[in-house]
Amino acid sequence: MSTESTPDRGATPALGRQDIAHLARLARLAVTDEELDRFAGQLGAVLDAVAQVQRADAGDVAPTTHAVPLTNVLRPDVATPSLPRDVVLAGAPAAEDDRFRVPRILGEEE
Amino acid sequence: MSETRSETLVEFDDVLTRYEPVIGLETHVELGTESKMFCGCATTFGAEPNTQTCPVCLGLPGSLPVANAAAVESTIRIGLALGCRIASWSRFARKNYFYPDIPKGFQTSQYDEPLCTAGHLDVEVDGETYRVEIERVHLEEDTGKNLHVGGATGRIHGADHSLVDFNRAGIPLVEIVTRPVAGAGAKAPEVARAYVTELREIIQALGASDVRMEQGSLRCDVNTSLAPIGSLEWGTRTETKNVNSLRSVERSVRYEMRRQAAVLDAGGRVVQETRHFHEDTGSTSSGRSKEEATDYRYFPEPDLVPLAPDAEWIEKLAAGLPELPAARRRRLQEEWGLSATELTWLVNAGALGLVEQTVAAGATPADARKWWLGELARRANDAGVELADLAVTPAQVAELTALVAEGTINDKLARQALDGVLAGEGDPRAVVEARGLAVMGESDELVAAVEAAIAGAPDVVEKVRGGKVQALGALVGAVMKTTRGQADAATVRRMLEERVR
Ligand SMILES: [Zn+2]
């Protein structure tokens, strides 16, 4: 998200197996050793393609996050009806005691 | 994972001979809005599970969030009350992580463009003022609630599976982050507590939240680190979670200081981690190691447009701020002529507002203080409730003091009248009438009681006649006893004096 101008704007840091493994862990994806190599190459190509944008001289252009120049779009603090619970839980893979049932959470305390 | 062995601890006073504590606080406040942050679902506490959800707060595909105006205004008001700079440009950001209580796979929060920055809050401990710098105040959404099933006592450890209620997911949450507070030394635990106490008072005065720690509408993460005295570098900090009362804030800092000192004394390194506070033992235990900010892959929320509060809007909100607690305390101290200690007693007893309302209802400040800090504090203590939760209003207390002042009842009868009020028998005047509590005038019954007391104690009468005037007290006591306290002591004394002399 840095907007500072650097001389090597066009350069893309190469993605290593470790980066892919880290991203996969954050995304809760199981990735095999063979896939780590393949994805590193593929994602590297994607980053290279996107990096072309950085070659444009945009030093004094603020990063764009919204195409429409709107600010302060707010709603009044008024409660409106929620969904019926049976409708809500109908979309859940599993439910129990009027709640969403999820697998136990590993590796974390309360 | 939870540690079963007990930790080595250094005596608190000993810690301070070698180390300087640095504390920091991250406080989450659930705003008291009618509807959620980005959708219209109600926010009623204790509602049936999953009855306050919709496609937006469940993160269903295609749903779009719209920010709650009242939540944005409350955040700005909190920022203004803390002397913050209000950003003229502020955005929401996605904080990406997976946990079953965040249905979207990210929490809508704020990252590098918070609504408020650079404020401060002065707190007082033992007559000394400590300035706590506020780094930022930002707006985000709360998570759902997990219920762990199968493990002992609903804890995650050993649980078979978890059940999730999304009623709380999406309720507006304000996070207030301090800068590190150094230099408080032995007072660091109390400064931490005083900060949260004062912050709670301010938010209560603003009416932005009910700030009930026991219900989780105010939650605190307490950072603690130690640096060797004279060192230029700060130590590694731990972040203690699950700190659910003001007392726990203080205890958690105290415990972490003692634990970290033992680690450092033994030549070890403090691990940067999340720790959990245990109310029963006052100790902390190791939780997960902390994620790096980069792991959250923050990016600006594309579904919400930026907030750009203009000067006019901010000025309007600033003009609408109520008198803040510190200013109010100073004013009342002056108006009532209290010493600093007397003021502290009132504040610590949670009686300041009650006394203020009682005075507003016509009582003198001295009478109002006497009742709330005396008889009523005793009743609250006996019943194990807060003063404010007693079934008596400040107006009723003021009426009691008025009945005493006009001579209709004495203090003892007033306590009986209070019994009636607390039992739901109505206002004091009605209770006095219904229970027949008014003091006796100079009735035949009272004259008879006075004369009986004189006749029953000739030795006392001799002493009084011989000049020992204070002996008269025994006769007054005898009359009060026969009249079951319904007589006015001053009247009894005068009647006795007339007859003994
Ligand atoms: Zn909703």
Side-chain angles (χ1 to χ4, degrees), chain A residues 24-102:
Chain A
R25 190 181 64 78
L26 292 176
R28 301 291 190 271
L29 293 174
V31 177
T32 65
D33 266 9
E34 181 266 328
E35 283 171 328
L36 282 183
D37 289 326
R38 182 147 49 92
F39 292 157
Q42 288 178 346
L43 281 174
V46 170
L47 283 186
D48 279 341
V50 174
Q52 290 184 42
V53 174
Q54 301 204 350
R55 287 189 210 121
D57 181 13
D60 54 356
V61 179
T64 304
T65 47
H66 294 92
V68 190
L70 278 176
T71 57
N72 302 336
V73 175
L74 301 168
R75 40 170 273 275
D77 180 27
V78 177
T80 54
S82 294
L83 289 177
R85 181 164 62 200
D86 51 342
V87 173
V88 168
L89 292 176
E96 185 180 317
D97 285 347
D98 302 326
R99 295 170 173 88
F100 289 77
R101 183 186 162 131
V102 299

Side-chain angles (χ1 to χ4, degrees), chain A residues 82, chain B residues 36 39-41 52-58:
Chain A
S82 294
Chain B
K36 289 189 180 179
C39 63
C41 287
Q52 294 174 168
T53 65
C54 74
V56 172
C57 57
L58 289 173

Side-chain angles (χ1 to χ4, degrees), chain A residues 1 22-23 25-28 63-66 68 70-86 88-89 95-110, chain B residues 2 33-37 39-41 48-53 55 58 66-70 89 91 98-99 155-156 159-164 166 276 288 295 297 300-302 304-308:
Chain A
M1 220 63 54
H22 181 63
L23 287 171
R25 190 181 64 78
L26 292 176
R28 301 291 190 271
T64 304
T65 47
H66 294 92
V68 190
L70 278 176
T71 57
N72 302 336
V73 175
L74 301 168
R75 40 170 273 275
D77 180 27
V78 177
T80 54
S82 294
L83 289 177
R85 181 164 62 200
D86 51 342
V88 168
L89 292 176
E96 185 180 317
D97 285 347
D98 302 326
R99 295 170 173 88
F100 289 77
R101 183 186 162 131
V102 299
R104 71 176 175 151
I105 304 144
L106 285 169
E108 291 199 15
E109 182 93 10
E110 291 187 302
Chain B
S2 182
T33 49
E34 293 297 315
S35 64
K36 289 189 180 179
M37 185 60 228
C39 63
C41 287
E48 283 290 302
N50 293 306
T51 52
Q52 294 174 168
T53 65
L58 289 173
V66 187
N68 183 331
W89 182 263
R91 281 189 297 187
F98 286 107
Y99 206 70
R155 289 168 61 87
I156 195 168
D160 296 322
H161 59 275
S162 299
L163 301 177
V164 194
F166 287 116
H276 291 276
R288 69 199 150 106
D295 285 352
R297 293 153 293 147
E301 166 60 65
L304 290 161
V305 301
L307 297 170

Side-chain angles (χ1 to χ4, degrees), chain B residues 93-114:
Chain B
R94 292 189 180 182
K95 180 181 182 180
N96 298 281
Y97 67 101
F98 286 107
Y99 206 70
D101 59 16
I102 54 160
K104 292 182 291 191
F106 61 85
Q107 179 190 29
T108 307
S109 180
Q110 297 197 282
Y111 184 49
D112 52 353
E113 297 164 294

Side-chain angles (χ1 to χ4, degrees), chain B residues 341-383:
Chain B
T341 315
E342 287 170 327
L343 178 74
T344 306
W345 284 344
L346 268 185
V347 171
N348 290 351
L352 192 70
L354 295 165
V355 169
E356 188 182 19
Q357 291 166 42
T358 307
V359 170
T364 66
D367 278 346
R369 274 170 54 220
K370 186 186 86 177
W371 274 93
W372 285 108
L373 290 185
E375 188 62 24
L376 291 161
R378 232 178 340 268
R379 307 283 182 122
N381 194 44
D382 289 348

Side-chain angles (χ1 to χ4, degrees), chain B residues 274-287:
Chain B
T274 300
R275 297 185 67 86
H276 291 276
F277 184 72
H278 305 283
E279 196 81 41
D280 48 348
T281 55
S283 63
T284 67
S285 66
S286 175

